[in-house]
C-alpha cells in the first residue's frame, strides 16, 4: 500500500552561483526538479509513503535522478529508455534579485519521458494507493505523455484513489487554447484541482471573484475540491461547497522554485494522514514557506518543522 | 601581566552552506566556537592582551583550536588530554532564514574539558591578570568543570582581578533549577554579571521591571555591576547604583551566533582599557553589531571599526 | 526476499581537501562510512537487493546516514535513538601522500549503536535473506553490540542465510587477545570468513604459508569458505577444500578507504547472483579496484563497469 | 569605425567570500575592474562596438585583463610593458553589510599604466570613433597618465568624437585642490561631464541647488551636457539648456561596485545608438540597477533586459 | 585577412569534480569544447589570427560559447538560431583514473548547428584566409551540416586557402561505412589530412605499415600532406613525398580531452607562420603535451611555452 | 629566551586551482610565503620557540601575515608601516605538471620591508636567542634591507647566538656578481651556511667535487658548518672538518614550494634541541619530505611525524 503516487517529468537542474550569470559562469550547482517528483519528495519528507513514476534514460544521468529521489525516501517506478538518443531533460536556472528576476531556460525536447506509454510503467502501484497526483506540465510534453496521463488518472480513479491535479500552465510548452482543451478533458477523473488564480483566468477563462471561480470549476468539472493559490495573498479551497482560506507564512526567500509543489505536497500529505481541509491548507502553506529557505526545488523538511511554523511562525535559534 | 583571562569549552563548529540542510549537505564549513574563547578573541581583536584556559585532546583537532585562537592573538593555557578517548566537543550549526530558524546540535558529552581540574591548568596567569571571565555554560558541563570554575573565580578574585560572568543558560545541558542553584553559588566571587532578560526571569526567578531586576540581583548577590541584555531592545547596566542604557546598532545579519559574546568582549575590552560603563556599553553594542556581519562565532574586528560604528553608524564604501 | 543484509555502525566521515591538514582546514568534505554499510552499498550498486541494520540518533545527522544509503539503493532498518545524548559516531580522515600517509581519528565512543539490542531491530528481514554479513568492528564497539552481533548471526544462520564475516581488526578498539576471544566465539555461525593476512597472524595467531592458514581456519572453525586478502598480492580463497587465487587489478588510487569493503561487496554480490568462487573473487577484485578511483568509502559502480575491468583491465576514453 | 573608445587603468580585483575578512580569508574571488573598462563592457554588452586603450604588463596577469575584456566583446588596444618591474595594479575588496561597510584597499602604485604615453597606444582608433570616454581617476595616477589623458581627449575631440568624462574623485590618489586644477584643465575638450553631487561640491566647489550647479558647470566649462548623479535620489541632466530628471530603479544589491560605471555605460550606449537624453538616462539607470544584482564590477546585461527594467521594473520568474 | 578559419560544433562541457561520479555529483565544472573551436583557440593562443564559424542558439548559453572563445582571442562568425527549440549541445565528462577510465555522454541531438546552412554564415571570411580547417565530426551531425562542410571546403579551397581536415571518427554518431563514404567525398577539397592510425584502419580501410598508409591516402585522394597520429608513439607526416616523424613530449596528464585538437592547432599555427613540416610537427607535439596539464578542452598556452618544451622538455620552477 | 629568530620578507601567495592558469583563473588560493618565516614555522611546528622579525603595512593584509604566522605558534616582531603607499609583496604561483612546470610571478617591489631599518625592529629578542637565521633573499630586496640584515647578523652573533644563512639566490632580484659581493660580505657573522650546489657554483664560483666546495667555503669564510643541498641527490654537511651525507626521503609531491625552507627549519630545530649534525640532517630531510605532501609554503608537521618518517619512511593508513 502506497500513500501517494505521482507521475511526471524530472529534469536535471543546473544553476550558477548567486550573482553569476549563465553567460559567464564556470560552475553549476547540480540538482533535480520536476513538479510531480517535487510533490512526492515533500510527501515523503512529511511521513507519507510516496512513489514516483516516469521514464528515464538508462544512463548515469537517469540514475542520478533515481538516487536523489530515493535519498528523500521516494520509491521510483521507472521505465528505462535504452535508446541511443535517450536523454534527460535539463533546465538552466539563473537566480537574480530585483530587477533582474529569475531566468529559466528549458532544454527538455525529446526527453525520454516524451515517449512514455502506460504499459512501460509499473501500473500495479496505482491499484493500491490512497492518492494519485500529476500536473498540467506532463500532458504538455508530448502526445504519448498526454495519453499516459489520461490513462493513469483513469486507472487510479477506477482503483479508488483520490486523484489530484495541479494545472501548472507553462507558456513555453503550449498555448492557452491548447492547454484548456487538453486539460479540461483530463478533469473527468480528477477529484482535487490546484490552480493558480492567474491560470484559472488565462487558461480556463474563469473571471470574477475567487470564490465564484472555485464554484464554477467545481460545478462544471465535477471536482470535489478546488484549491486556488494567489501568491502572497494565500490560498482558498472549496470543498464540498464549503470555503476555506489560508494566508501565507512569511519567509526569507532563498530559492522560490518549487514553492507551489511544496504547497501541494504539504496539502496532500496532511490529507493522506487524515487531516481535514483546514489542516491540509496549513500544512501546505507551512511546507511552502519552509521550502523558500532551502536551495533547490525540494522541500527537505520534517513534520515537526511544519508543525512549529503553524504554531509559532518565527525561526530563532534553538540551543 | 595579562589584561583578560577566560576559561571554558571551545568546540569545533561544523555548518553546511547557506540554504543547505544538515541532512543533505556534502560540505561543512569548519570553525571553532565557545562562549569564553569568543570573548577572548573579541578582547584580543580590540587590543587587549587576552588568554584562554581549557583542556583539549592532544590531537590535530585539539591543536586546530589552539591554532585558530592564536591566529587571533589569544594566548592559550591548555591542559592536554592524552587519554585514548580524549575528544573535542563539536557542534553542528544549520543557518536558516525565517521561518526555518537556526538549528544547533551539540555533540559535547565527555569532551576533554569535562575532566578538567584546576591543577591541570597554568593557574599562575590568574595571579597577574586585570580581569577574569567565564560563563554559565562551563559549570553545566560536568562536576569537575563546575568545581574548576569555582576555584578559578575564587583564585582570580583573591588575586585582585575583576571577575565577570555571563549567565548563558543552556537548556540542553541542565534544568532551570539546577542552573539556579549552581550559578548563584558562584556569584560570591563575581563582580560583573551579564544576563539576558529572559534568563534572569526563567533561571533566576527575577520578574518585574528591568531596573528592579538589576537592583535585586546586585543587592542579593553583592554584584558591583549587572548588565542585562534585551535583544533588539539593547542593554542596560547597573553600576554602583547608577543605571546606563544602550540601544543596539542596526546590522545586516549574516551570522548571529556569537553576538552576545562579542558584546561581552567589547564591554570588557573597554573596561580593561580604562573606559567607564557608558563607553563599555557602546563598545559592547558596536562589537556585537559588527560581529553579525561576519561568518563564524568570532568578532574579527578592529578598535577603529568599533569607534567608527559608534561615531557614524553606517557602512558605505571607502575608496 | 532480500539478497543481502548487513549489520554494523555507520559514521559521519569528515575530511579536509587534499594537501590540507586537520589542524588547519577550514572545510570538510562530508560523507559516510562504515564497513557493513559500505558492503551493502557495493552490493546494491551491483544489482543485489541489499539492506542494512543499525541504530542511529533521531536527528538530522542520523537521517543523513539513511538518506545517503537510500540514495545508493540500500534499504535501511534503523532503531532510532531518542536519547538526549544520542550521538552519531564520526571519523576524521586526512589523506596524505607518502611519506605522510593517511590519518584517521575516530570519535565513536557512546555512539547510539553501542546501545543496540536485537529486539530494537526489524529482525524479520533476517528470516528471508539469502545472505547476512557483518564484521569484527561491530562486536568491538560495546558489549550490547557484541551480543547483538552474535544474536543476528545465529538467527540468520538458523533461517538458512549464508553468513559472512570480515575480521577487520581495529587496534584502537581492542587488543589482539580481546579480539581473538570475542571473534572466534562468533565463528560458530559464520560460513564465510574474510581476513587480512596480517590479521590472521596477529589476531588469530595463524603463522605460516597462506594456504595452510586458510586450511587451519576452515578446519578449526568449521568455515565453508575462507578468503584471505594480501594487499597488492591479491586474494586467496579456500572453498570446500579447493584453493582459488586472484591478483589485484591495478588502479590509480584517489581514495583507498573502503577498498576492502568493496572487495567483500563485489564477492558477495557475485555469490548471491549465483556465481562460483572464481567469479566472486574477480568481482571482488574489480570492484575494489574501481573503488580506489572514487572519493569516499563507497563503491558507486555498475555491474557493467566491473565486467569491463575483468575483461579489459584498462580505462581509456569512450566517445 | 568604433562606437565608443575608453582609456584608463584596469586592475585585478581580489575579494574574499561574503562574511569573510581580508585578514582571515583563504580564498579570493578573482575579477577585474577599472572605471573606463567597466564603461566599455557595459557599452559592448548593450550592443555598442567598444574598445579600451591602456598599458599592461606583458605577463599572464596582463593577459588576464585582456582575455576578460575580450570575453565581453570589448576590443583592446594595449601598450605591453616589457619592463622587469612591470606590474598590474590590484585592489582588494571586502564586502560587508551594515554597519561594517565595504572596504577597498588599492595596491596600484607604479602599475604599468602610470608610464603610459600617447605614442605607445594605437591612436588611430580615435580618428574613427563616435565617442571617447575617460575619467578623473586616470589623470590622478601619474603625470604621464595625466598628459596622455589630455592628449587623447584633444585628439578624439579634434577628430569629431563626442567626448565624455566622469569626474570620479578618489581621495586616496590626490587632494581636492590637486584634482580641481588638473581636471578643470581637461574640461576644454570634454562635451559631456558626469559628476556626483558630492564631488561637484567638494572637488569643484559648486554649492547650491543641483540645477544651478549643472548650469554653472556647463557655462563655465563650455560643456554640452552635464549629468549629475545623486545616489538614491537619481540623476539629473542638463543638455542644451534643458533639464532632465531620472529616478533610480530599485534593486536587491549584491555588489554595488561598478554601479556608477554601469550608469555611464548605459547612458553612452543609448546616446551612441542615437537616443535622446531622456532615453539615455533611462538606460543608464536601468543598467546601473541590473549591475547591482551581479557580482563583480561589470554590467553583464543585454539590451532586452535593460528595456524590460524600463518597462516593467520588477523581476519575477519567467518559465 | 585571417590566418585560420574553422567550422564546427561547440558544446557545453559539464564535468563533476575529480573522484566524483555523474550519478552522484552536486556540482559541474562548466567549460566548452568542440574539435574545431579547440583548434582555433590553440591557433589564437599561438599568435595566429583565428576565427570560428558555427550556429548557436540565441540564448545565454549560446552567448556563453562566444564569450569563452572571444576570451581566447578567437573571432566568431555565428548564425544565431532564434527557434523556440534552439538548443546548445552538451557533453558530460567524467574523468576517472585507471581502471575506471574517462566517460563521455553526449547530448547533442538537434543542436542548432544541425540546421546550419552556408548562406547563414559570414562566408566572406573564407575568401581572405590563409587556412581553413574542419573535422569529420561536423558532417556526422546532420545532412545540412554535411552539406555546409562540403560547401565551405570548396569555397575556401577555391579562394586559395590551404584546407585541412581531421578525420576524428565518432562511433556514437555514425558507422564506419557511413563515415567512409561521406568523408572521402569531402577529401577532394582537402590539402592536409590528419588521421589517427586506428581510424585510418577502421574507417578508411587502410591496413599495413604506417608510411604505406600515408602514401596510399595521399595518392588516392590527392592530398598534399597526410599526418598520422599514433598516440604514445608520436606522429608521422608525409608531405610532398617526404616522411617526417615526431615523438611525443611526456606530460603529467591532468585532462587528456582536447590533446588531438591541440596537436592540430599547434601544427597549423606553425604552418601558418611559415614553418616547415618538421617545425609544425614539433609545435603540434609540444602544444598537445602542454594541453594535457591544463583542465578543459582548450590549449591555453603561449608560443614561448611551446618553444621551451621543444628546447628543454622539462618543467621545473622558475623564480 | 627564544630558540630561533628569523628575519625577512613574507608575501601573500596567490595561486589558481590545479590545472588552471593565471590567465584564466577566477579564484585564488590565498596563503603566505617567505623563506625566513617558512623556516620559523617549521621550527615552531617542531617544538622550537620561534620568532620572526619584519616590516609590514598596517593594513588587513599585513595583519593577515601576522595572524597566519601566529596560528603556527611563531611570535612576530613587526615594524608596522603607516605610509600611504605601504604595501605587502605578493607572489603569484601557478603549479603545472611536466612539461609546463611551476611559474612564479613576483610583485614585491617597494614592499614595506624594503624600507626596514634595525631601529624599527624589537632587537632585544636577538640578545636572548639561541639561533638567528636569514637568507640571501633579504639583502637582495633593497639597500636598507641589506644593511638591516648585516646589522642583525652582527648583533645576534655578538650576543652569542648561532647564526645561519641560506644563500637562496633569486635571479629575478640581482645578478650573480651583485649577489656574490653582497652575500660574501655577510658571511663574516655567519656560523652555518646552507647553499644549493648550483648556487655555490653559479653565485659563489665554486666548481669541483662537492666536498671540496664545502671545504673551500668553510675555510675561506670561516664557517663552522656548511650544508650543501643537491636536490634529489640529498644533502651534505661539513662540520668541524667532518663530512655527513643525507639522502632524501621519497615523497608524493603535491606542492614543492618551501621544501628547502622546511629542510633548513628541520635542521635548525634539531640543532636547537641539542641534536648533532647527523640528526639535524635527518630532521631536515624528513621535514622537507613531509612538506612536499602539504599545500602551501609551510611545513605544518609534528615532531612525531618527522620521527616516523626517519624510522619507517612509508605512509600507510593508521586506524
Amino acid at each position: 500500500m502506497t500513500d501517494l503516487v505521482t507521475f511526471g517529468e524530472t529534469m536535471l537542474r543546473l544553476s550558477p552561483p548567486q550573482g553569476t550569470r549563465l553567460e559567464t559562469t564556470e560552475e553549476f550547482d547540480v540538482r533535480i526538479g520536476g513538479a510531480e517528483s517535487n510533490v512526492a519528495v515533500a510527501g515523503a519528507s512529511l511521513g507519507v509513503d510516496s512513489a514516483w513514476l516516469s521514464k528515464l534514460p538508462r544512463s548515469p544521468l537517469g540514475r542520478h535522478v533515481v538516487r536523489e529521489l530515493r535519498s528523500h525516501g521516494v520509491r521510483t517506478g521507472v521505465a528505462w529508455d535504452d535508446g541511443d538518443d535517450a536523454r534527460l531533460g535539463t533546465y538552466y536556472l539563473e537566480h537574480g534579485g530585483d530587477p533582474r528576476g529569475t531566468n529559466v531556460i528549458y532544454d527538455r525536447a525529446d526527453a525520454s519521458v516524451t515517449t512514455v506509454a502506460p504499459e512501460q510503467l509499473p501500473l500495479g502501484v496505482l491499484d493500491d494507493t490512497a492518492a494519485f497526483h500529476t500536473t498540467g506540465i506532463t500532458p504538455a510534453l508530448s502526445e504519448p505523455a498526454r495519453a499516459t496521463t489520461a490513462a493513469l488518472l483513469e486507472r487510479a480513479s477506477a482503483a479508488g484513489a483520490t486523484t489530484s491535479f495541479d494545472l501548472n500552465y507553462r507558456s513555453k510548452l503550449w498555448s492557452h487554447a491548447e492547454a484548456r482543451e487538453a486539460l479540461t478533458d483530463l478533469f473527468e477523473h480528477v477529484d482535487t484541482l490546484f490552480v493558480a488564480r492567474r491560470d484559472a483566468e488565462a487558461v480556463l477563462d474563469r473571471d470574477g471573484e475567487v470564490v465564484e471561480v472555485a464554484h464554477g470549476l467545481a460545478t462544471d468539472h465535477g471536482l470535489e475540491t478546488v484549491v486556488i493559490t494567489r501568491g502572497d495573498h494565500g490560498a482558498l479551497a472549496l470543498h464540498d461547497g464549503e470555503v476555506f482560506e489560508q494566508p501565507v507564512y512569511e519567509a526569507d526567500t532563498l530559492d522560490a522554485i518549487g514553492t507551489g509543489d511544496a504547497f501541494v505536497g504539504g496539502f496532500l500529505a496532511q490529507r493522506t494522514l487524515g487531516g481535514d481541509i483546514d489542516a491540509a491548507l496549513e500544512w501546505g502553506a507551512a511546507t511552502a514557506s519552509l521550502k523558500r529557505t532551502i536551495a533547490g526545488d525540494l522541500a527537505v523538511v520534517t513534520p515537526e518543522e511544519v508543525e512549529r511554523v503553524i504554531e509559532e511562525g518565527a525561526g530563532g535559534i534553538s540551543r
Side-chain angles (χ1 to χ4, degrees), chain A:
Chain A
M1 177 74 188
T2 310
D3 293 327
L4 173 63
V5 176
T6 75
F7 164 66
E9 178 179 26
T10 299
M11 293 173 283
L12 209 58
R13 165 186 148 152
L14 305 176
S15 51
Q18 201 189 10
T20 303
R21 307 221 61 179
L22 285 170
E23 298 202 18
T24 56
T25 191
E26 298 201 343
E27 187 183 329
F28 280 142
D29 187 38
V30 178
R31 299 178 185 271
I32 64 167
E36 299 84 359
S37 54
N38 293 352
V39 169
V41 167
S45 296
L46 295 173
V48 157
D49 185 16
S50 302
W52 168 82
L53 305 179
S54 194
K55 188 169 182 179
L56 291 171
R58 192 186 296 281
S59 75
L61 300 175
R63 291 193 295 270
H64 190 108
V65 170
V66 167
R67 281 173 178 276
E68 179 71 19
L69 292 177
R70 279 182 177 166
S71 80
H72 299 288
V74 173
R75 281 182 295 121
T76 57
V78 172
W80 291 106
D81 183 352
D82 285 306
D84 277 354
D85 280 343
R87 70 180 299 260
L88 183 68
T90 51
Y91 85 93
Y92 298 88
L93 171 65
E94 181 186 289
H95 279 111
D98 276 338
R100 183 153 55 94
T102 292
N103 191 22
V104 175
I105 298 180
Y106 291 107
D107 181 11
R108 70 201 314 181
D110 298 323
S112 291
V113 76
T114 60
T115 63
V116 71
E119 62 274 16
Q120 297 168 347
L121 298 171
L123 296 181
V125 74
L126 294 177
D127 300 335
D128 194 31
T129 181
F132 174 75
H133 177 79
T134 187
T135 82
I137 299 170
T138 318
L141 298 176
S142 69
E143 182 51 34
R146 198 199 58 69
T148 304
T149 303
L152 269 61
L153 275 171
E154 187 170 353
R155 177 157 177 168
S157 189
T162 301
T163 59
S164 56
F165 194 89
D166 186 353
L167 195 95
N168 249 345
Y169 175 69
R170 289 287 184 270
S171 62
K172 294 184 179 175
L173 292 175
W174 53 4
S175 69
H176 288 162
E178 290 169 315
R180 180 165 48 248
E181 187 182 339
L183 297 180
T184 51
D185 276 3
L186 296 170
F187 289 174
E188 181 184 349
H189 297 293
V190 169
D191 298 314
T192 301
L193 176 69
F194 298 91
V195 61
R197 178 77 191 266
R198 66 170 186 281
D199 287 348
E201 186 171 337
V203 179
L204 301 179
D205 263 343
R206 301 280 170 170
D207 281 331
E209 203 268 321
V210 63
V211 174
E212 284 173 54
V213 169
H215 272 293
L217 288 169
T219 305
D220 293 357
H221 298 290
L223 298 161
E224 187 180 297
T225 311
V226 173
V227 182
I228 300 183
T229 55
R230 295 174 295 176
D232 292 351
H233 302 292
L236 173 144
L238 178 77
H239 176 72
D240 287 344
E242 196 178 350
V243 172
F244 303 81
E245 295 221 39
Q246 174 65 44
V248 299
Y249 296 99
E250 302 249 320
D252 295 328
T253 299
L254 185 106
D255 183 342
I257 307 290
T259 302
D261 303 325
F263 176 87
V264 171
F267 184 97
L268 294 179
Q270 181 55 236
R271 287 295 281 165
T272 303
L273 295 171
D276 59 19
I277 299 289
D278 260 338
L281 285 170
E282 281 182 340
W283 270 46
T287 307
S289 166
L290 286 164
K291 160 62 206 66
R292 289 178 163 273
T293 68
I294 298 168
D297 279 43
L298 306 177
V300 182
V301 298
T302 62
E304 293 73 24
E305 289 173 322
V306 167
E307 290 291 355
R308 195 168 52 74
V309 170
I310 293 168
E311 280 156 33
E312 307 172 25
I317 304 175
S318 156
R319 63 181 174 185

